[in-house]
Amino acid sequence: MTLATEQHEKKEVLARRKAGFWERTEYDRAFRGSFGHYMTEVEARALDRCFGEQKNATLLDLGCGHGRFLRHFAPRAERLIGLDRSRRLLGVARKWMQDEPLPVPTELVWASATEIPLEAGSVDAITCVRVIQHIPDQDAALAEACRVLAPGGQFILVQYNWLSPHGTIRALKIPIKAALRALLRAMGREPTFDEPTGWTFWPSLRAQLEAAGLEVERVTGAWLFPLQYFRSRSSNDAWPVFRALAYAYERLADLPPFRYLGGYLVVRCRPRPS
Ligand SMILES: C[S@@+](CC[C@H](N)C(=O)[O-])C[C@H]1O[C@@H](n2cnc3c(N)ncnc32)[C@H](O)[C@@H]1O
């Protein structure tokens, strides 16, 4: 490899890391292991607790990534749309959908959640799992979701919660990462680790949803901490004690105050009737 090619590759890797951790192939690969399946199952159960019963003509998965939940959502809709800003992840989704087609017509759309290329009032349900914390203008994305949602449609949002053990660890890491970043820059090197993202607390998320014209109907939590940090490297599986902790939380996740203390807040809302 020539020096110029090597430098070009380094620059590309840096650009991908800065664009978002999901641009690395390790991101979607991690969901293919047993730990990844387990995480998806915990989140899917929280989503199921939150969904309203109605069948939806069209369900839009906003920020669908590599389509981790599309198969899970398929029985809830006659037609699915997966929208994401990452061409790479949409490519991964397209590939597995070709190999194992979904039971309902599914369209993948490359676009931003802040400019959804759909008619106003054209979808009956929107899911948005771990996405808005990465969007600089979260309010614009919520307003867009509200615009494309049909009257009476449901919006199911999963958003990271500061007020949780996972959030506390994350908050403690902020000053440490800031110091490391400053040190690396002083040494003339560009840091490649992620910037802190826009997590939330329940009161501010509720205010944000209401300002976007949405009415909150239901809140629950999903708990994965500290599973992300403690898993067996050999089997890529969660340690049993932490699985048990996550399971115990699930039994309490619909009760106050526990519903506000999960690593993820899982919320169902609908557009406020005008
Ligand atoms: C942590 S991943 C979650 C993906 C998927 N919802 C899941 O749970 O597997 C964050 C996703 O948000 C997407 N994303 C970030 N900013 C976006 C934007 N402005 N519009 C649409 N998608 C966006 C990324 O491309 C990535 O797929």
Side-chain angles (χ1 to χ4, degrees):
M1 193 189 290
T2 65
L3 188 62
T5 324
E6 204 177 315
Q7 275 174 350
H8 178 73
E9 284 200 350
K10 266 192 187 162
K11 264 194 189 160
E12 284 223 316
V13 169
L14 196 67
R16 275 209 301 276
R17 289 190 176 169
K18 281 187 155 261
F21 57 87
W22 54 84
E23 290 301 344
R24 300 174 218 166
T25 42
E26 296 93 298
Y27 169 74
D28 41 293
R29 212 182 291 143
F31 286 107
R32 277 179 235 146
S34 57
F35 178 70
H37 284 297
Y38 174 68
M39 273 208 299
T40 301
E41 274 168 30
V42 172
E43 287 173 83
R45 283 201 293 272
L47 285 160
D48 285 345
R49 289 200 301 278
C50 223
F51 257 109
E53 280 310 312
Q54 84 246 27
K55 177 99 177 170
N56 309 286
T58 305
L59 183 150
L60 164 67
D61 189 17
L62 207 52
C64 64
H66 62 293
R68 187 163 65 109
F69 286 110
L70 287 177
R71 187 171 300 283
H72 188 75
F73 293 148
R76 295 190 180 276
E78 287 156 26
R79 173 176 167 243
L80 292 173
I81 304 172
L83 179 149
D84 203 279
R85 203 193 51 174
S86 165
R87 284 188 192 276
R88 188 189 81 76
L89 286 177
L90 288 176
V92 176
R94 199 162 284 119
K95 170 85 183 61
W96 72 250
M97 281 167 54
Q98 273 161 6
D99 297 344
E100 302 160 62
L102 287 169
V104 293
T106 306
E107 193 186 339
L108 294 177
V109 177
W110 178 63
S112 171
T114 51
E115 276 176 75
I116 305 175
L118 295 173
E119 301 272 308
S122 61
V123 298
D124 306 290
I126 299 181
T127 50
C128 186
V129 183
R130 305 202 212 171
V131 176
I132 65 161
Q133 74 277 6
H134 302 299
I135 301 182
D137 193 347
Q138 296 187 0
D139 293 343
L142 292 174
E144 263 300 81
C146 203
R147 181 187 69 80
V148 297
L149 209 49
Q154 52 182 332
F155 180 45
I156 314 280
L157 177 72
V158 177
Q159 165 66 319
Y160 285 83
N161 184 13
W162 283 122
L163 197 62
S164 64
H166 189 182
T168 310
I169 295 277
R170 183 85 188 190
L172 291 174
K173 280 175 158 177
I174 291 176
I176 298 172
K177 281 193 165 181
L180 271 176
R181 225 174 265 129
L183 185 70
L184 282 172
R185 289 203 172 116
M187 290 162 60
R189 291 177 50 195
E190 190 54 25
T192 55
F193 42 82
D194 303 309
E195 301 290 326
T197 49
W199 293 31
T200 195
F201 294 99
W202 171 239
S204 34
L205 181 61
R206 186 176 50 200
Q208 218 179 351
L209 292 167
E210 283 172 359
L214 294 156
E215 270 179 359
V216 173
E217 276 188 357
R218 198 182 162 131
V219 189
T220 184
W223 181 291
L224 289 161
F225 178 87
L227 297 174
Q228 297 96 324
Y229 302 100
F230 298 96
R231 59 181 143 138
S232 153
R233 294 231 170 261
S234 52
S235 68
N236 188 31
D237 208 350
W239 287 0
V241 61
F242 296 122
R243 273 181 177 254
L245 194 62
Y247 181 78
Y249 174 74
E250 236 174 278
R251 309 269 80 73
L252 303 167
D254 287 330
L255 305 172
F258 298 101
R259 61 168 56 143
Y260 308 116
L261 301 176
Y264 306 113
L265 292 162
V266 187
V267 188
R268 178 177 79 218
C269 32
R270 294 185 197 271
R272 194 178 308 120
S274 42

